[in-house]
Amino acid sequence: MTTQTADHTDIRATNLAAVLGHLRREAPCSRAAIAAGTGLNKATVTSIIGELLERRLVRETQQTQNHVGRPATLLVLDGSAYATIGLEVGARGLTALACDTAGDQVLRWHRAGPGVDAGPAKTVAALAALARRAITTVQSSGRQVLGITVGVPGLVNRDGAVVLAAALGWTDVPLRAELAGALGRPDIPVTVDNDASLGVLAEHLYGAYAGTPNLIQITGDTGVGAGIITDGRPLAGHLGYVGEIGHLRLVPDGPACGCGRRGCLEALASLPAILERVDGTVDDDPQQQLEALIRRADAHEAGVTKVLAEAGTHLGDGIAALVNILNPGVVLLGGAYALLFDHLAPAVDMALREATVAPDAGGCTVAASTFPHTATPLGATAQALTPLNRGRLPSR
């Protein structure tokens, strides 16, 4: 009997996931359209929709006249009851974003600091304060928080510990456990993932190249990382350590990297490396420094143009390694790279085509991210919806 119950629960969850997935892609749509699109029988769809209506995950909207027959009531996702929170830790500060279950933004905040040199303890405390404020705001809107996901520029294991974030100077930081403990909210699951892996998830779900089955997003605001979608699925790897192209050694006797080696892509082409080459240092306010860099690049200042061209060449060499191995259809430059895209792209494209074995870079397109400021926290809100998207309804 126990096995039968478990089997029934699993089947119900699979069917719920199919209905919610269809609604995310096709809403507004009718019950009949959901049945046709999912292959479920009409009675099953009616039962599932009834439960989703009761739980305020779906709502009925205006009726529409079909070509033949009676008017059909349309269904859309309802975001009034639940939301998820995405957080990002980066050199430019901390970002919080909350989206409801219909995909609408509930809040978006950014705070400068704590700086890269602040250390894990101060950063976790600041992150917890930001998360508590976000939880309060979401709950005051009448929504339940289903989960929190944090994006970090580094290696994150399956327990949510940051094994190495060289650009932050972090080693073996149990971030998930420490943040969950600081929040004291066992009812709100906390997960941690690599920032680029979350960024590519946002692009794959919502961006200009959404649905591209082989997609990579490169970020370089703190470290340099790659989020990778292969054959429509996120690439996770054996232990979750995927996409660390920032530590490809491109120049053996090159500048020192935070990982302890020399000549890594991160030390040559990350935003901090670019700012240090242009200004001789990285300020306490890297956001303001980035804005000044963009203005100088747009003014075609010779020194800035030279540094960006060299960084673009190194970045193109790093991307070529991924293209030769994975043959993506699209590589997106995210974060600061997206804001500097016009200045980086010519050198990136030239280096990529020179270093790629396949003709025309294997058909790969390099483009700017759709979400230069919010890809990581947006992807984090989507990842926090994973249990629901798998058909596991929130506790009442």
Side-chain angles (χ1 to χ4, degrees), residues 111-196:
R111 58 154 290 179
V116 171
D117 298 329
K122 287 184 178 179
T123 301
V124 171
L127 196 63
L130 188 63
R132 282 192 289 269
R133 181 182 165 206
I135 291 169
T136 299
T137 300
V138 169
Q139 290 179 334
S140 68
S141 73
R143 296 174 173 89
Q144 177 183 336
V145 178
L146 296 182
I148 297 173
T149 295
V150 186
V152 183
L155 298 176
V156 179
N157 69 20
R158 299 193 187 281
D159 294 325
V162 182
V163 177
L164 174 67
L168 296 176
W170 290 12
T171 303
D172 296 325
V173 177
L175 180 57
R176 189 206 64 77
E178 290 187 0
L179 180 58
L183 291 176
R185 292 293 302 266
D187 57 315
I188 301 178
V190 175
T191 58
V192 180
D193 205 342
N194 173 265
D195 59 348

Side-chain angles (χ1 to χ4, degrees), residues 52-70:
L52 294 176
L53 286 167
E54 179 190 351
R55 302 294 291 274
R56 293 167 60 201
L57 285 161
V58 167
R59 61 182 174 84
E60 293 179 329
T61 185
Q62 78 276 7
Q63 291 187 333
T64 182
Q65 178 66 51
N66 289 335
H67 294 298
V68 178
R70 295 176 300 173

Side-chain angles (χ1 to χ4, degrees), residues 15-245:
N15 292 343
L16 271 163
V19 170
L20 284 170
H22 186 88
L23 280 162
R24 287 197 187 282
R25 293 187 302 272
E26 306 294 340
C29 52
S30 66
R31 290 168 174 80
I34 294 171
T38 60
L40 299 173
N41 64 54
K42 292 181 179 180
T44 298
V45 170
T46 297
S47 173
I48 289 172
I49 292 299
E51 186 171 10
L52 294 176
L53 286 167
E54 179 190 351
R55 302 294 291 274
R56 293 167 60 201
L57 285 161
V58 167
R59 61 182 174 84
E60 293 179 329
T61 185
Q62 78 276 7
Q63 291 187 333
T64 182
Q65 178 66 51
N66 289 335
H67 294 298
V68 178
R70 295 176 300 173
T73 301
L74 299 183
L75 299 158
V76 295
L77 293 172
D78 186 351
S80 64
Y82 307 99
T84 57
I85 297 171
L87 303 172
E88 179 181 12
V89 179
R92 289 191 277 161
L94 305 179
T95 301
L97 182 71
C99 291
D100 66 26
T101 47
D104 294 324
Q105 184 173 298
V106 178
L107 64 86
R108 176 187 165 191
W109 299 327
H110 179 81
R111 58 154 290 179
V116 171
D117 298 329
K122 287 184 178 179
T123 301
V124 171
L127 196 63
L130 188 63
R132 282 192 289 269
R133 181 182 165 206
I135 291 169
T136 299
T137 300
V138 169
Q139 290 179 334
S140 68
S141 73
R143 296 174 173 89
Q144 177 183 336
V145 178
L146 296 182
I148 297 173
T149 295
V150 186
V152 183
L155 298 176
V156 179
N157 69 20
R158 299 193 187 281
D159 294 325
V162 182
V163 177
L164 174 67
L168 296 176
W170 290 12
T171 303
D172 296 325
V173 177
L175 180 57
R176 189 206 64 77
E178 290 187 0
L179 180 58
L183 291 176
R185 292 293 302 266
D187 57 315
I188 301 178
V190 175
T191 58
V192 180
D193 205 342
N194 173 265
D195 59 348
S197 295
L198 295 172
V200 79
L201 179 61
E203 298 288 355
H204 186 63
L205 292 173
Y206 312 119
Y209 293 90
T212 299
N214 293 282
L215 177 70
I216 294 175
Q217 192 226 36
I218 309 288
T219 58
D221 287 22
T222 306
V224 177
I228 303 169
I229 302 287
T230 56
D231 296 331
R233 295 177 178 274
L235 186 64
H238 173 51
L239 296 175
Y241 308 153
V242 170
E244 286 295 322
I245 66 162

Side-chain angles (χ1 to χ4, degrees), residues 247-295:
H247 300 290
L248 286 173
R249 295 186 68 190
L250 299 180
V251 180
D253 58 348
C257 181
C259 70
R261 300 171 179 83
R262 302 190 73 87
C264 294
L265 176 60
E266 188 168 295
L268 296 164
S270 66
L271 177 62
I274 292 170
L275 292 174
E276 187 165 359
R277 285 203 60 200
V278 169
D279 295 332
T281 185
V282 179
D283 293 346
D284 292 336
D285 188 349
Q287 177 61 38
Q288 186 175 2
Q289 197 174 6
L290 170 61
E291 291 169 1
L293 174 68
I294 293 170
R295 288 194 298 271

